[in-house]
Each structure stands twice: as C-alpha cells, then as structure tokens.
Amino acid sequence: MWPDDAGLKRVHEQLSSLPPLVFAGEARRLTSALGDAAEGHAFLLQAGDCAESFTDFTADGIRDKLRVILQMAVVLTYGAGVPVVKLGRIAGQFAKPRSSPTEMVGAEVLDSFRGHMVNDDLPERAARVPDPDRLITAYHQSVSTLNLLRAFTKGGFADLAQVHAWNQEFVASSSEGRRFDAIAKGIDRALRFMGACGIDLAREDSLHEVDFWTSHEALILDYEEALTRRDSLTGDWYDCSAHMLWVGERTRQIDGAHCEFLSGIHNPVGSKVGPSATPDDVVALCQRLNPERVPGRVSLITRFGADHVETSLPPLLRAVREEGHPVVWVCDPMHGNTINAEGGRKTRRFDDILTEIKGFFQAHAQEGTWPGGVHVELTGDDVTECLGGMEDIVEDQLHQRYTTACDPRLNARQSLDLAFRVAEFLRD
Ligand code: PEP
Ligand code: CO
C-alpha cells in the first residue's frame, strides 16, 4: 500500500521508540470490566467518530464528544441497573477499510480515501497517495486526545451530579425530551436516596471520576505492530496504541493477518460480525481469538441491519453459547443501516438504528443471553448526518452540517435520544 518503502521503515523505527499510549495493566483492567459485561453484570457503551480527522481536531470537539458519551452512560446505567463500561472510538480511530479501492469524483477516478492515518480526503489525485508520515501524526494526535480525556475524566468534568444536570437540561429543552422525564426524575430520586442514607455524595470518588477507555479498528498493522510492547510484569505482548482493538467486517478472516495480529496481543479485542458470518465462522473466530476462554477478552460487535437482526442473530447466539465461549455481545446498529440519500450522501435513519437495537434485545431475550452493549458512531457537534430523531432531520437538511470524514454520525441530541430509548428497553 505504501509507495515509499524507505519512508515506512523510518516511520516504523520512530514509532517503535516512542512511548506507549496505554499500559498493560490498564488493558487488563478493561478485560476484567468487559468480563463483567460478558457475564451479564455490566453493559458496554462503545462510541465515537467513524473516522477521526487531522483537520477537525479541537479541544472543544473532544470535550463535547466525551460529554455526550458520559451523559448516555448515566442514562444507560440507570436503565440497565449495572455498571456501564465507557469505551471511546477515539485516540487512534484514523484508518478506514473501503469496499472499493477507487471512487468517482466528478468525472475523475481517484484512489479511495483510507482515513487520515493513510491519505487525505481532498478530491485530488496527489492527496490520495498514502504517506507513512501520517502514522506519526496519528500517534501524536492520539497522545494529545488521550491526555485531555484523562484530564477530563479524572479532573472533575465527569462528576455525576454535573452530568445528570446536563441530562435534565436535555430533557427540559423540548417537548420530545420531556417524554424522558420519568427516567431523569428516577435518577434524581436515586441520588437523593443515596444522600438520605448518609452517603456523602461530594466525597465519594466514584461519583466524580470515571474510567474511560480507548479503542479503534486495528487496520493498519504497520502502526499497531510498532506500538506493540512486551509487558515487563507478565512478559505478555500488548498493543499499547489503545486499550481495546477490533477487526472490521472486511478483515475478520480467521487465517488473515489481522486476526493473526489480534490473537498475539493480550488486550481485550473484538470483531465486527456482519450478515455473511455463519455460526461456524463465529465459533471459529472465538476459538482463534480466545482459546483460553477468558471472559472479556472477546467482544462480538454485530451489524446486520434492522431487517436482518432478528433472523440472523439468534443462530449465532446459540452456537457460541453451546460451545461455551464467553463473549460480550455488542450491537452496532450503524453499519448495517447505511443508505444513500438523494444526491449521493451516505446517511442512516434514526428509526432503523433503534429497530436494530430493539431486534438485538429481542434476540437475546429469546435465547437467554445477555445483550452486552451498544457500539455507535456519534459526535458532540450539532451535525446533520443521520435522518430523524427528535428534531426529525430530513433529507433536504443533510447538506447543512454534514462534516463527517467517513460515515454519518448521530449528533448530540440524537445520541441522547437513543440512550434514553435504550434505557427504556433495558428497564423493561
Ligand atoms: C466502522 O466501524 O467504521 C466500519 C467500517 O465497520 P465495519 O467493519 O463493520 O463495516
Ligand atoms: Co463507520
């Protein structure tokens, strides 16, 4: 892929000598938290951009995305009645698999954009040439993103009372929001109940700080390998570019390079699972990635589409359960529901997203398995990329604020709307 072999070698050496972004002990703690989700005692919220961008990169953008995820997590915690594991698609999500190596721009055929870690999205031939120096830029942007996330989540920004106040604002801000009043009031009462029991809310660390983990698709193995280090404590290998890594729908072949890489690291890992996956494929994938059957080691992120989830998911749930593999079942309601709007813009309907999640919960209820989490593409910005939701964005509005570097994301209000609705399913 890289036209410049010598450049790639130089970059690989440089990345290999740079400090890790995360350390092995953190990855082990995440495996343990995900183990709870595999066993029905926790719920995973994995969320962030489809593709992070080198050009759209600001402190406010990071803050607003984190804020939405924290707000969703509080609502989901209340709905699920179990801890919510907060995992960003962030601080490394810079590479995109593409269905086609080229795309038409006007009358010209250009190489596809592969994410800012590889090339640029400008509609020009020169911009699309892969440049290994982008791996270094991706590393530094990930470092500064993670630094801010750590500061926010341990420095007071994640305070439960504050996050709850933001949610109350959301509920009060529109007539549609007020339909969630019962949940917001329930959270309010729970907080007052704790206070009444003598718990000093102001002094309880767990109410002011949260663990926030990072993840991305392990697509560019040159980057991932350069950041893979041996843990001095255990002697095991960890990919220190993020806490959790996954393989995408296009690279999940069990004898392929990407699964080979994931099988060799000790981080928690995941795989997307789309409509072409058979029960045998999925069991083989579990065996390949988790022969020791460690709970929390593997998450299976299913993305079938609203019309297929109810028929396609149950056979997989059954097969994995019968083989005794502990996995976190995660619903990605985004990637099976992408459509082309008039004018060619990719979009997704809020209602399809919700329908897939509903089908996911139904399939688990039917099979007696635990719906372990959701995986969504979102931003804290007020974009117009997905259709519907409480402001009912329509096709004619998509062009207004369509800024994604790849797939269409839920905006902040659509994300909260979704979280409240999922909380209702969980509670029921
Ligand atoms: C993605 O998560 O952005 C993606 C490309 O997903 P999938 O591999 O499921 O198509
Ligand atoms: Co995407």
Side-chain angles (χ1 to χ4, degrees), residues 14 71 73 112 168 199 202 211 233 240 245 322 350 376 395:
Q14 193 179 341
Q71 286 184 259
S112 294
Q168 285 175 311
I199 299 170
D211 286 327
L233 223 56
C240 298
L245 288 308
E322 278 163 15
F350 184 85
V376 289
E395 278 204 32

Side-chain angles (χ1 to χ4, degrees), residues 50 89 96-97 217 246 248-250 272 303 332 335 375 377 407:
C50 179
R89 275 179 71 114
K96 295 317 298 172
E217 179 175 349
W246 78 85
E249 173 66 0
R250 295 160 192 77
K272 292 293 194 81
R303 28 90 85 221
D332 165 359
H335 290 89
H375 177 122
E377 289 181 344
D407 289 338

Side-chain angles (χ1 to χ4, degrees), residues 60-130:
D60 288 359
I62 297 167
R63 179 199 60 202
D64 294 345
K65 199 170 309 155
L66 175 66
R67 176 161 113 155
V68 163
I69 295 173
L70 294 174
Q71 286 184 259
M72 293 173 80
V74 167
V75 173
L76 292 172
T77 305
Y78 181 75
V82 293
V84 169
V85 181
K86 296 163 269 296
L87 177 60
R89 275 179 71 114
I90 198 166
Q93 177 55 26
F94 290 104
K96 295 317 298 172
R98 304 315 300 252
S99 307
S100 165
T102 57
E103 63 176 318
M104 288 295 289
V105 178
E108 221 185 344
V109 183
L110 292 180
D111 288 341
S112 294
F113 169 53
R114 291 167 177 277
H116 280 161
M117 186 186 268
V118 178
N119 61 7
D120 198 84
D121 53 325
L122 279 178
E124 292 161 13
R125 193 167 296 272
R128 300 297 172 90
V129 177

Side-chain angles (χ1 to χ4, degrees), residues 303-338:
R303 28 90 85 221
F304 292 112
D307 294 341
H308 302 287
V309 59
E310 276 189 72
T311 48
S312 302
L313 183 55
L316 305 188
L317 301 180
R318 237 169 282 150
V320 170
R321 185 189 54 207
E322 278 163 15
E323 291 300 319
H325 272 288
V327 306
V328 186
W329 287 105
V330 186
C331 177
D332 165 359
M334 313 299 290
H335 290 89
N337 294 308
T338 314

